[in-house]
Amino acid sequence: MSIDYQTLALPYAMPAECRTAGVVHRPVVVVGGGPVGLTLAIDLARYGSPVLLLDDDDKLSSGSRAICFAKRTLEIWDRLGCKEPARKGVSWKTGKVYFRDRLVYAFDLLPEAGHCHPAFVNVQQYYAEGFLYDHALAQAGVEMRWKNKVTAVDVSDDAVLVTVETPDGSYRLRCDYLVACDGSRSPVREMLALKSSGQTFRDRFLIADIRMHADLPVERRFWFDPPFHRHGSALMHRQPDNVWRIDFQLGWDADPIAERQPERVIPRVRAMLGDVPFELVWCSVYTFSCTRMEHFRHGRILFAGDAAHGVSPFGARGANSGIEDADNLAWKLHYVLTGAAPDRLLDTYASERERAADENIAHSTRSADFLTPKTPMSRIFRDAVLSLAEDHPFARRFVNSGRLSTATTLTDSPLNTPDGERFDGVMVPGAAAVDAPIIAGGARDWLLHRLGGRFVAVHFAADAANDATARFMATFADGVPRDRSLRDIDPLVVARSSPAPVAGLPVVDDFEGLVAKRYDATAGTTYLFRPDQHVCARWRNFDATQLRVAVERATCTG
């Protein structure tokens, strides 16, 4: 039986702390039960670190809200075992851009084959949250408390004291770290008198979710100044359940209350669709800002998702970048909590994700400026670009209807080991691992299913006679590193042509040669991947000492 996640009431129970006067200790408290908080809680639990999640509501998101979930987000959820958003969602990778009544150009976000996940899936946010909630329930280390509102936080050098209000009274608890995933109006941020700064765009947009049966291609369709809508731009996406999302630009002077009334919304949709029958499901009017906190870490309190940064919805960079925040933070928190890394490793969460936020805000701001020209000259430039783009490919790179989300490459991370030899391609230290098909144990699989959760050393072998391969085999005899400093590393050998096991090491077959091609690998090449599947080092020949030093650098233990 399918679950109606839009109306699902999340269970509330009186916390045991309401019956006692004591202060209970928890390693990690996550505030906020949206996609980011749920992803972080699941990830921490799978690493083995218990987590308490608090949320002041007992409902999931309503309406479509965030719907475009990027390939990297799907890969992260896949690593966590949460595959339902990809299965439920509508996959797409192509789009069309129109200027007035003319097609300007079409694009393909993932033109090459050989990837487990598509460029994007569209799925309503309440489905994504519902699937994550179900998955969190199955994790032994996750406790979720709904209608538990954080009302105060007091930070000291060694702990955070949290005051929580419930329908049955208040209680306090102590934690080592608190992570605020409580949204753009973050109450935790306000309690600490911290600010987000940036630019608020003086424009309003209408979201209309409609249900209709239409034989239209599954693609992103964007219009600049369409003939059916005189106020600016329009965007159309397909979602599951025959629901379509349409965004209309309204202008800053639009009345947000009046514009979301059905008598205003339905004529706009009908002007766009013509006589096609449809049902209005949900609508909302929004504005947006491009902002971020100066620092994402404040002692034992860390901020993630919209609590830390905000972008425009054009480009699908909000929820997706928040999921990357959780992916980045979980393993670092676990390493610190278990004593495998010093506390300063958490500083790199802040520096890496602050850089990512700057990248997303820059893309988002440029998109917003192109969508809403601020001066007559800006509009002349934009319209000239759109007119030229139809016939002149050089102009298309200037067209900006939203630079769509891709994984941030953390090129300047202090956890990276710089290349000492020449490599070609995009798999530089700091890049999120790119997928490719493999054969493992006689069955087809994907490379990313073999990465993540731990450090993984991937060695490309031609045969056991290769000197670098021999050193790799000696270092990881029977899959167990002889050097205790390498005990947190899993080995993986990539070979060709139905490889046999190599000295008891796990071996996968790069049967199409795409792994070697995408990683510019030759016999002896070795990559080191972080637990969040980002490259942190690579060498043309394997050396155990270099590997040990790279791990020490990536965990701040050197």
Side-chain angles (χ1 to χ4, degrees):
M1 183 179 69
S2 62
I3 300 173
D4 184 356
Y5 287 114
Q6 291 190 85
T7 60
L8 178 67
L10 304 176
Y12 165 78
M14 179 192 295
E17 291 86 346
C18 286
R19 303 185 184 94
T20 65
V23 178
V24 176
H25 175 266
R26 300 297 183 111
V28 180
V29 170
V30 173
V31 183
V36 177
L38 287 165
T39 299
L40 178 60
I42 294 166
D43 208 359
L44 281 166
R46 287 176 65 88
Y47 281 119
S49 291
V51 58
L52 173 63
L53 183 147
L54 305 174
D55 194 283
D56 61 0
D57 200 1
D58 65 348
K59 296 287 191 301
L60 301 175
S61 175
S62 61
S64 58
R65 300 190 185 276
I67 67 164
C68 298
F69 293 101
K71 182 175 182 287
R72 183 62 195 142
T73 293
L74 301 177
E75 291 166 350
I76 293 167
W77 286 342
D78 194 346
R79 177 176 64 80
L80 301 182
C82 188
K83 303 176 185 294
E84 292 81 4
R87 292 169 179 162
K88 177 68 176 181
V90 175
S91 300
W92 66 276
K93 64 171 187 166
T94 59
K96 293 186 175 72
V97 177
Y98 299 84
F99 181 39
R100 298 182 180 131
D101 59 352
R102 305 192 314 274
L103 174 65
V104 173
Y105 74 98
F107 60 83
D108 188 334
L109 298 171
L110 193 64
E112 62 179 12
H115 293 267
C116 179
H117 291 289
F120 279 89
V121 301
N122 290 348
V123 63
Q124 294 90 324
Q125 184 171 327
Y126 54 80
Y127 275 126
E129 290 182 4
F131 295 140
L132 289 167
Y133 166 72
D134 289 341
H135 201 55
L137 283 176
Q139 310 302 315
V142 176
E143 181 183 357
M144 295 178 283
R145 296 182 181 179
W146 309 100
K147 301 187 78 170
N148 278 240
K149 180 180 180 180
V150 174
T151 57
V153 290
D154 297 297
V155 191
S156 65
D157 290 340
D158 60 353
V160 182
L161 185 63
V162 187
T163 303
V164 187
E165 182 183 281
T166 79
D168 292 300
S170 297
Y171 65 92
R172 295 190 303 167
L173 54 85
R174 189 183 306 275
C175 61
D176 295 316
Y177 294 96
L178 182 145
V179 186
C181 306
D182 51 347
S184 59
R185 295 183 177 87
S186 174
V188 172
R189 192 178 65 220
E190 292 299 317
M191 291 171 203
L192 297 175
L194 300 171
K195 302 295 182 184
S196 277
S197 59
Q199 180 181 2
T200 297
F201 289 83
R202 293 171 59 83
D203 210 335
R204 301 189 194 278
F205 293 81
L206 167 72
I207 300 174
D209 279 357
I210 64 168
R211 182 171 285 108
M212 69 172 177
H213 296 272
D215 187 20
L216 295 173
V218 180
E219 61 186 8
R220 183 182 193 262
R221 303 174 76 191
F222 192 97
W223 291 264
F224 289 96
D225 298 338
F228 54 79
H229 179 63
R230 63 183 179 83
H231 294 283
S233 64
L235 172 67
M236 187 174 184
H237 270 291
R238 184 171 186 168
Q239 305 175 73
D241 306 333
N242 293 311
V243 175
W244 298 72
R245 171 168 168 167
I246 305 172
D247 290 56
F248 293 105
Q249 186 176 3
L250 299 176
W252 181 245
D253 295 331
D255 183 333
I257 297 176
E259 291 296 346
R260 63 172 174 257
Q261 302 307 312
E263 58 268 23
R264 290 282 191 94
V265 178
I266 290 173
R268 293 191 190 281
V269 176
R270 188 166 289 128
M272 179 184 199
L273 301 178
D275 295 331
V276 177
F278 66 87
E279 170 194 358
L280 182 62
V281 176
W282 178 81
C283 61
S284 180
V285 173
Y286 66 89
T287 59
F288 62 85
S289 302
C290 289
T291 62
R292 81 162 174 91
M293 299 177 66
E294 183 178 2
H295 303 293
F296 292 179
R297 183 184 185 190
H298 291 265
R300 292 183 173 271
I301 299 182
L302 302 107
F303 292 82
D306 288 351
H309 47 77
V311 294
S312 81
F314 298 100
R317 292 175 177 272
N320 288 302
S321 62
I323 301 303
E324 289 187 55
D325 290 348
D327 181 50
N328 186 292
L329 178 57
W331 74 271
K332 295 175 181 178
L333 266 175
H334 173 66
Y335 267 62
V336 172
L337 288 166
T338 57
D343 175 85
R344 67 178 181 274
L345 179 63
L346 297 177
D347 292 337
T348 70
Y349 161 74
S351 63
E352 289 181 346
R353 297 312 299 166
E354 286 161 9
R355 180 192 179 282
D358 287 341
E359 177 182 296
N360 286 317
I361 288 170
H363 282 296
S364 187
T365 299
R366 285 193 287 268
S367 297
D369 287 340
F370 196 84
L371 286 166
T372 58
K374 303 299 185 295
T375 66
M377 186 57 67
S378 296
R379 178 170 288 277
I380 290 171
F381 170 78
R382 189 200 73 173
D383 291 354
V385 166
L386 290 168
S387 297
L388 288 168
E390 184 176 0
D391 298 315
H392 302 282
F394 83 89
R396 294 171 191 167
R397 64 189 182 91
F398 296 106
V399 177
N400 194 335
S401 65
R403 294 285 188 259
L404 289 156
S405 177
T406 55
T408 299
T409 299
L410 308 168
T411 51
D412 57 354
S413 170
L415 306 186
N416 296 341
T417 296
D419 285 337
E421 299 155 291
R422 177 181 173 81
F423 282 86
D424 293 325
V426 297
M427 286 294 97
V428 299
V434 66
D435 211 356
I438 59 172
I439 292 177
R444 290 195 59 157
D445 201 355
W446 298 96
L447 176 66
L448 289 190
H449 290 166
R450 306 286 157 161
L451 306 179
R454 288 171 55 84
F455 282 90
V456 180
V458 175
H459 179 76
F460 291 82
D463 55 60
N466 178 276
D467 288 343
T469 299
R471 291 194 297 272
F472 192 83
M473 291 166 55
T475 301
F476 294 98
D478 298 320
V480 180
R482 295 181 177 179
D483 184 342
R484 284 185 55 80
S485 67
L486 303 179
R487 65 186 180 276
D488 289 330
I489 303 175
D490 288 337
L492 180 67
V493 175
V494 177
R496 287 293 300 271
S497 304
S498 302
V502 179
L505 303 187
V507 184
V508 298
D509 184 353
D510 182 19
F511 68 103
E512 291 187 6
L514 286 177
V515 181
K517 179 180 179 181
R518 289 172 181 172
Y519 287 87
D520 185 31
T522 55
T525 296
T526 304
Y527 274 75
L528 178 64
F529 294 90
R530 300 177 355 177
D532 58 3
Q533 298 177 328
H534 279 254
V535 176
C536 61
R538 58 182 178 173
W539 305 273
R540 282 298 179 193
N541 286 284
F542 174 75
D543 182 275
T545 300
Q546 290 179 329
L547 182 64
R548 176 179 54 78
V549 172
V551 172
E552 291 174 350
R553 182 177 186 130
T555 54
C556 295
T557 56

